[in-house]
Coordinates of all heavy atoms in Angstrom, one line a residue:
R1 N 110.1 119.9 132.1 CA 109.7 119.2 130.8 C 109.1 117.7 131.2 O 108.2 117.3 130.5 CB 110.9 119.0 129.9 CG 111.6 120.4 129.5 CD 112.6 120.2 128.4 NE 113.7 119.3 128.8 CZ 114.0 118.1 128.5 NH1 113.2 117.5 127.6 NH2 115.1 117.4 128.9
L2 N 109.6 117.1 132.3 CA 109.2 115.9 132.7 C 108.4 115.9 134.0 O 108.9 116.7 134.9 CB 110.3 114.9 132.7 CG 110.8 114.2 131.4 CD1 111.2 115.2 130.4 CD2 111.9 113.2 131.8
T3 N 107.4 115.1 134.1 CA 106.6 115.1 135.4 C 106.2 113.7 135.7 O 105.8 112.9 134.9 CB 105.2 115.8 135.2 OG1 105.4 117.2 134.7 CG2 104.5 115.9 136.5
I4 N 106.6 113.3 137.0 CA 106.4 112.0 137.5 C 105.2 112.1 138.3 O 104.8 113.0 139.1 CB 107.6 111.5 138.3 CG1 107.6 110.0 138.6 CG2 107.8 112.3 139.5 CD1 108.8 109.4 139.2
S5 N 104.5 110.9 138.2 CA 103.2 110.7 139.1 C 103.1 109.2 139.3 O 103.5 108.3 138.7 CB 102.0 111.4 138.3 OG 101.8 110.7 137.1
R6 N 102.0 109.0 140.3 CA 101.8 107.5 140.5 C 100.3 107.4 140.8 O 99.7 108.4 141.3 CB 102.6 107.1 141.7 CG 102.3 107.8 143.1 CD 103.4 107.3 144.0 NE 103.5 105.7 144.2 CZ 104.5 105.1 144.7 NH1 105.6 105.7 144.9 NH2 104.4 103.8 144.8
D7 N 99.8 106.3 140.5 CA 98.5 105.8 140.8 C 98.6 104.5 141.6 O 98.6 103.5 140.8 CB 97.7 105.8 139.4 CG 96.2 105.5 139.8 OD1 95.8 105.1 140.9 OD2 95.4 105.7 138.9
N8 N 98.6 104.6 142.8 CA 98.8 103.3 143.5 C 97.6 102.3 143.4 O 97.8 101.2 143.3 CB 98.9 103.6 145.0 CG 100.4 104.1 145.4 OD1 101.3 104.2 144.5 ND2 100.5 104.6 146.6
A9 N 96.4 102.9 143.1 CA 95.3 101.9 142.9 C 95.5 101.2 141.6 O 95.0 100.0 141.5 CB 94.1 102.8 142.7
Q10 N 96.2 101.8 140.6 CA 96.6 101.1 139.3 C 97.9 100.3 139.4 O 98.4 99.8 138.4 CB 96.5 102.0 138.2 CG 95.2 102.6 137.8 CD 94.1 101.5 137.4 OE1 94.5 100.6 136.6 NE2 92.9 101.5 138.0
N11 N 98.6 100.5 140.5 CA 100.0 100.0 140.7 C 100.9 100.3 139.6 O 101.7 99.5 139.0 CB 99.8 98.4 140.8 CG 100.7 97.8 141.8 OD1 101.2 98.5 142.8 ND2 101.0 96.5 141.5
T12 N 100.8 101.6 139.2 CA 101.5 102.1 138.1 C 102.2 103.4 138.3 O 101.5 104.3 139.0 CB 100.6 102.3 136.9 OG1 100.0 100.9 136.6 CG2 101.4 102.7 135.6
V13 N 103.3 103.8 137.9 CA 103.9 105.0 138.0 C 104.1 105.6 136.6 O 104.4 104.8 135.7 CB 105.2 105.0 138.6 CG1 105.8 106.2 138.6 CG2 105.0 104.6 140.1
Y14 N 104.0 106.9 136.2 CA 104.0 107.4 135.0 C 105.1 108.5 134.9 O 105.5 109.1 135.9 CB 102.7 108.2 134.6 CG 101.5 107.2 134.6 CD1 100.8 107.1 135.8 CD2 101.2 106.4 133.5 CE1 99.6 106.3 135.9 CE2 100.1 105.5 133.8 CZ 99.3 105.6 134.8 OH 98.3 104.6 135.0
L15 N 105.7 108.7 133.7 CA 106.6 109.8 133.4 C 106.1 110.5 132.1 O 106.2 110.0 131.0 CB 108.0 109.2 133.2 CG 109.0 110.3 133.1 CD1 109.2 111.1 134.4 CD2 110.4 109.7 132.6
Q16 N 105.4 111.6 132.4 CA 105.0 112.5 131.3 C 106.2 113.3 130.7 O 106.9 114.1 131.5 CB 103.9 113.4 131.7 CG 103.4 114.3 130.5 CD 102.7 113.6 129.5 OE1 101.9 112.8 129.7 NE2 103.1 113.8 128.2
M17 N 106.5 113.2 129.4 CA 107.6 113.7 128.9 C 107.2 114.7 127.8 O 106.6 114.2 126.8 CB 108.6 112.7 128.3 CG 108.9 111.5 129.2 SD 109.8 110.2 128.5 CE 111.4 110.9 128.2
N18 N 107.5 115.9 128.1 CA 107.2 117.0 127.0 C 108.3 117.7 126.6 O 109.4 117.7 127.3 CB 106.2 118.0 127.7 CG 104.8 117.4 128.0 OD1 104.4 116.4 127.6 ND2 104.2 117.9 129.2
S19 N 108.2 118.4 125.5 CA 109.3 119.3 125.0 C 110.7 118.5 124.8 O 111.7 118.9 125.2 CB 109.6 120.5 125.8 OG 108.4 121.3 125.8
L20 N 110.5 117.3 124.3 CA 111.6 116.3 124.2 C 112.6 116.8 123.4 O 112.4 117.5 122.3 CB 111.2 115.0 123.8 CG 110.4 114.2 124.8 CD1 109.6 113.0 124.3 CD2 111.4 113.7 126.0
K21 N 113.9 116.5 123.7 CA 115.2 117.0 123.0 C 116.0 115.8 122.6 O 115.7 114.7 123.2 CB 116.1 117.9 123.9 CG 115.3 119.1 124.6 CD 116.3 119.9 125.4 CE 115.7 121.0 126.1 NZ 116.5 121.7 127.0
P22 N 116.8 116.0 121.5 CA 117.5 114.7 121.2 C 118.5 114.2 122.3 O 118.8 113.0 122.3 CB 118.4 115.3 120.0 CG 117.7 116.5 119.5 CD 117.0 117.0 120.6
E23 N 118.8 115.1 123.2 CA 119.6 114.7 124.4 C 118.9 113.7 125.4 O 119.5 113.0 126.1 CB 120.2 115.8 125.1 CG 120.9 116.8 124.4 CD 120.0 118.0 123.8 OE1 119.4 117.8 122.7 OE2 119.9 119.1 124.4
D24 N 117.5 113.6 125.1 CA 116.8 112.7 126.0 C 116.7 111.3 125.5 O 116.1 110.4 126.1 CB 115.3 113.3 126.0 CG 115.1 114.6 126.7 OD1 115.8 114.8 127.8 OD2 114.4 115.5 126.2
T25 N 117.3 111.1 124.2 CA 117.5 109.7 123.8 C 118.1 108.8 124.6 O 119.3 109.0 125.0 CB 118.0 109.8 122.4 OG1 117.2 110.5 121.4 CG2 118.2 108.4 121.8
A26 N 117.5 107.6 125.0 CA 118.1 106.7 126.0 C 117.1 105.7 126.2 O 115.9 105.6 125.8 CB 118.4 107.4 127.3
V27 N 117.6 104.6 126.8 CA 116.6 103.6 127.4 C 116.2 104.0 128.7 O 117.1 104.4 129.6 CB 117.4 102.1 127.4 CG1 116.4 101.2 128.0 CG2 117.8 101.7 126.0
Y28 N 115.0 104.0 129.0 CA 114.5 104.5 130.2 C 114.0 103.4 131.0 O 113.3 102.5 130.7 CB 113.2 105.4 130.0 CG 113.7 106.9 129.6 CD1 114.3 107.1 128.3 CD2 113.6 108.0 130.4 CE1 114.7 108.3 127.9 CE2 114.1 109.2 130.0 CZ 114.6 109.4 128.7 OH 115.0 110.6 128.4
Y29 N 114.5 103.3 132.3 CA 114.2 102.3 133.3 C 113.4 102.8 134.4 O 113.6 103.9 135.0 CB 115.4 101.6 133.8 CG 116.2 101.0 132.7 CD1 117.3 101.8 132.1 CD2 116.2 99.6 132.4 CE1 118.2 101.3 131.2 CE2 117.1 99.1 131.5 CZ 118.0 100.0 130.8 OH 118.9 99.5 129.8
C30 N 112.6 102.0 134.9 CA 111.9 102.4 136.2 C 112.4 101.4 137.2 O 112.9 100.3 136.9 CB 110.4 102.3 136.3 SG 109.6 100.7 136.0
A31 N 112.5 101.8 138.5 CA 113.0 101.0 139.6 C 112.2 101.3 140.8 O 111.7 102.4 141.0 CB 114.5 101.3 139.8
A32 N 112.3 100.3 141.7 CA 111.4 100.5 143.0 C 112.2 100.0 144.0 O 113.0 99.0 144.1 CB 110.2 99.7 142.9
E33 N 112.1 100.7 145.3 CA 112.6 100.3 146.6 C 111.8 100.7 147.7 O 111.3 101.7 147.7 CB 114.2 100.6 146.7 CG 114.3 102.2 146.9 CD 115.7 102.6 147.2 OE1 116.4 101.8 147.8 OE2 116.1 103.7 147.0
P34 N 111.7 99.8 148.8 CA 111.1 100.3 150.0 C 111.9 101.3 150.7 O 113.1 101.1 150.9 CB 110.7 99.0 150.7 CG 111.8 98.1 150.3 CD 112.3 98.5 148.9

């Protein structure tokens, strides 16, 4: 249902969320580490 991708040229990461369910309700955070 969810797909993660990144575009380093845009310095951005995406999370495509499809077929969402009530159980997906939350605060969503992104995080980075080398």
Side-chain angles (χ1 to χ4, degrees):
R1 300 187 298 113
L2 274 61
T3 303
I4 191 171
S5 63
R6 67 188 300 156
D7 187 342
N8 285 352
Q10 296 295 318
N11 219 24
T12 302
V13 175
Y14 304 96
L15 185 66
Q16 180 66 47
M17 311 171 70
N18 299 327
S19 302
L20 286 166
K21 304 176 180 179
E23 305 93 273
D24 296 317
T25 297
V27 177
Y28 283 71
Y29 302 87
C30 67
E33 68 171 336

